[in-house]
Amino acid sequence: MEGCRGEGGGGQGQEGRGLGEGADLAGVPDLAALRAEAVACCGAGAGLDPRVAFALDHLDAASLTELAHSIGLSAPRLRGLVRAQLGVPLARLRRWDRLRQAVVALPDGSVADAAARADFADQAHLTRTARELVGRTPSSLLI
């Protein structure tokens, strides 16, 4: 599978799919599934760097710099490590996570409320991100 760098990887992911493409009906990837697929692909041991695993578990950190420093790396080094291991930019994973948080919050209020809960600058920022990542507006993602 492309993007996997670990030795002895199980290749458990489905052929022809990239990491994180196990999206739900709203088009939002399941980040826990992404992590599981990365572990399956790269191996549970030495294949997936523990710093990458930590970053995947803490995508909601206040800032990339804060996340990187919490594991003893610079932000550019963490970005490079995640991309080398997973083949997906860390910034994209963080945007997907914020979009997921907003979609989860949508049924409880307005789009503006969901944007604020997911730390988007405003409703327009959430809308641009949703259109970019899933090609739909946030209100159309209501399930």
Side-chain angles (χ1 to χ4, degrees), residues 106 110-116 120-130 138-139:
L106 280 172
S110 69
V111 175
D113 291 338
F120 283 94
D122 55 24
Q123 180 177 341
H125 184 203
L126 170 57
T127 300
R128 283 190 308 274
T129 300
S139 58

Side-chain angles (χ1 to χ4, degrees), residues 20 22 28-40 56-57 59 97 100:
V28 178
D30 182 347
L31 294 173
L34 171 73
R35 184 178 192 285
E37 192 169 343
V39 169
L56 290 174
D57 288 337
L59 290 171
D97 185 55
R100 181 197 54 80

Side-chain angles (χ1 to χ4, degrees), residues 39-122:
V39 169
C41 174
C42 299
L48 184 62
D49 188 299
R51 298 169 294 183
V52 172
F54 183 87
L56 290 174
D57 288 337
H58 296 89
L59 290 171
D60 59 350
S63 73
L64 179 56
T65 301
E66 177 183 296
L67 176 60
H69 287 176
S70 71
I71 54 180
L73 297 173
S74 67
R77 176 67 184 121
L78 178 59
R79 282 193 304 268
L81 185 62
V82 169
R83 186 170 192 125
Q85 290 249 309
L86 301 177
V88 179
L90 182 57
R92 179 169 294 164
L93 294 173
R94 288 173 52 89
R95 283 195 330 256
W96 274 114
D97 185 55
R98 288 176 48 216
L99 180 58
R100 181 197 54 80
Q101 291 174 31
V103 169
V104 167
L106 280 172
D108 298 331
S110 69
V111 175
D113 291 338
R117 286 188 192 175
D119 292 326
F120 283 94
D122 55 24

Side-chain angles (χ1 to χ4, degrees), residues 14-30:
Q14 293 178 5
E15 293 297 322
R17 281 190 21 201
L19 287 175
E21 289 183 15
D24 63 19
L25 294 176
V28 178
D30 182 347

